[in-house]
Amino acid sequence: MNVVMSGPTYYKGWYHLFYQYNPDSAVWGNITWGHAVSRDLVHWLYLPLAVVPDRWYDANGVWTGSATTLPDGRLVMIYTGATMESVQVQNLAFPADPDDPLLVHWVKSEYNPVIVPPSGIGLKDFRDPTTAWYVPTDSAWRVAIGSKNDSQHHAGVVLVYRTTDFVSYELLPGVLHSVTGTGMWECVDFYPVSTESAVGLDTSAASGPGVKHVLKASMDDNKHDYYAIGTYAAASNSWVPADPEKDVGIGLRYDYGKYYASKTFYDPVKERRVLWGWIGETDSERTDLRKGWASLQTVPRTVLFDQKTGRNLLQWPVEEVESLRLSSQEFSNISITAGSVVPLDIGKATQVRSLNSVDPRSCLLVLFVT
């Protein structure tokens, strides 16, 4: 069973994808971290299991986590473990051999669990830590965790913890953000986007002119991913949406099909932010067991701020996907007027895209496939 993605990252020449996986069956249970690596985000090599549920603090599953790359190149993984009593706690894991670019072997911290549910938070409502970001004015790192507050009208909330060593954590006052009526927020993602250029930003990019922050959460109640763009203030530990009517859980979605538990990471090689999502089929458990697998990951996408509208994100499959195309035809010097019909003989093509800057709302392009 291949389910929610965890800890995507780039390390020493390889892209790494960790994912929740049941090595014994195609249905939920015995949740372990599978591991795959790629040079190009298209062709993947499966590696041995990375992290398995073998301690009291993750006996009921190694759940979603995130990777953080420190300035000296070290990699830290923070993940949610379900204890023997099904309490959700946060744990640390490190590469056993930092010189191994494939990160085949992992070790768990002797300090686990490093974060337990705080007062007022349900023991089963505390999961999925984000990639940590550094706040220079605080000389510390921060990590966000999703939860809910039923005493405040079933509100989804994001808690933020401060750490200097990734072992000791301090819960910051208040919440990063909250939206009433949205229920449990899981698989939270929090990252900056540039409003002035078409490059991605490192997760620790400073707030200020030309930078907005995206807050995304997966709604446990309806199994959809929602995001909003807003302004982050580290000093007050707060994030405010640019448009309250399109807040997290009530506004924009990454995708309006089957798409859930998504996560991004910053690719330092191509200076881009890459988004992955999980697709769960509508097959029955019986069908999943017969076929021997369940669920899949989407084609990775590049994510950018839409400078034209200033209200949403732009997404497009990573450029490496183009390497899978066998052939192509390009039509140029074609004049298109509003309401016109332009027949093009494109052979047996199955996909067509426009390479010009024509606003699709101003014209109608009809393609006849022969």
Side-chain angles (χ1 to χ4, degrees), residues 3 54 56 61 63 66 125 137 175 177 223 242 259 266-267 324:
V3 291
D54 59 0
W56 69 266
W63 291 3
S66 297
D125 303 321
T137 56
V175 297
H177 194 56
K223 294 299 185 287
Y259 194 86
Y266 174 67
D267 177 2
L324 299 177

Side-chain angles (χ1 to χ4, degrees), residues 247-366:
D247 208 339
V248 182
I250 59 175
L252 298 170
R253 286 165 51 181
Y254 276 149
D255 195 299
Y256 288 80
K258 292 279 287 184
Y259 194 86
Y260 193 67
S262 59
K263 187 176 288 290
T264 67
F265 78 99
Y266 174 67
D267 177 2
V269 176
K270 295 195 174 183
E271 295 184 305
R272 60 184 173 179
R273 182 155 292 272
V274 178
L275 167 70
W276 262 304
W278 164 57
I279 298 176
E281 303 83 29
T282 55
D283 292 341
S284 65
E285 283 195 359
R286 179 181 179 184
T287 300
D288 288 340
L289 289 169
R290 292 186 64 183
K291 67 184 181 182
W293 63 274
S295 305
L296 50 95
Q297 304 294 339
T298 63
V299 171
R301 309 172 184 180
T302 299
V303 178
L304 291 170
F305 178 78
D306 187 349
Q307 297 180 46
K308 185 175 181 179
T309 67
R311 297 190 300 267
N312 56 273
L313 297 175
L314 297 176
Q315 306 172 58
W316 193 259
V318 293
E319 61 184 32
E320 289 87 343
V321 172
E322 300 293 337
S323 67
L324 299 177
R325 300 187 186 279
L326 300 179
S327 62
S328 64
Q329 287 180 278
E330 182 175 332
F331 299 88
S332 58
N333 299 320
I334 297 176
S335 178
I336 302 175
T337 59
S340 64
V341 176
V342 179
L344 297 177
D345 182 2
I346 60 174
K348 296 182 179 180
T350 57
Q351 293 185 2
V352 178
R353 66 171 179 163
S354 172
L355 298 179
N356 59 28
S357 58
V358 174
D359 188 337
R361 293 168 296 184
S362 67
C363 64
L364 172 66
L365 176 63
V366 179

Side-chain angles (χ1 to χ4, degrees), residues 195-253:
T195 62
E196 300 175 346
S197 66
V199 299
L201 297 179
D202 180 86
T203 308
S204 295
S207 301
V211 176
K212 294 290 185 181
H213 274 75
V214 175
L215 177 59
K216 166 262 166 184
S218 300
M219 301 294 116
D220 192 32
D221 284 1
N222 64 20
K223 294 299 185 287
H224 293 309
D225 276 13
Y226 290 82
Y227 78 89
I229 302 171
T231 301
Y232 171 55
S236 60
N237 182 38
S238 63
W239 174 90
V240 179
D243 183 354
E245 294 186 359
K246 293 183 178 179
D247 208 339
V248 182
I250 59 175
L252 298 170
R253 286 165 51 181

Side-chain angles (χ1 to χ4, degrees), residues 3 11 51 84 92-93 104 127 147 162 198 201 208 214 234 257 273 285 321-322:
V3 291
Y11 190 79
V51 187
M84 296 179 67
L92 295 179
V104 174
R127 54 186 178 268
S147 187
R162 175 186 181 276
L201 297 179
V214 175
R273 182 155 292 272
E285 283 195 359
V321 172
E322 300 293 337

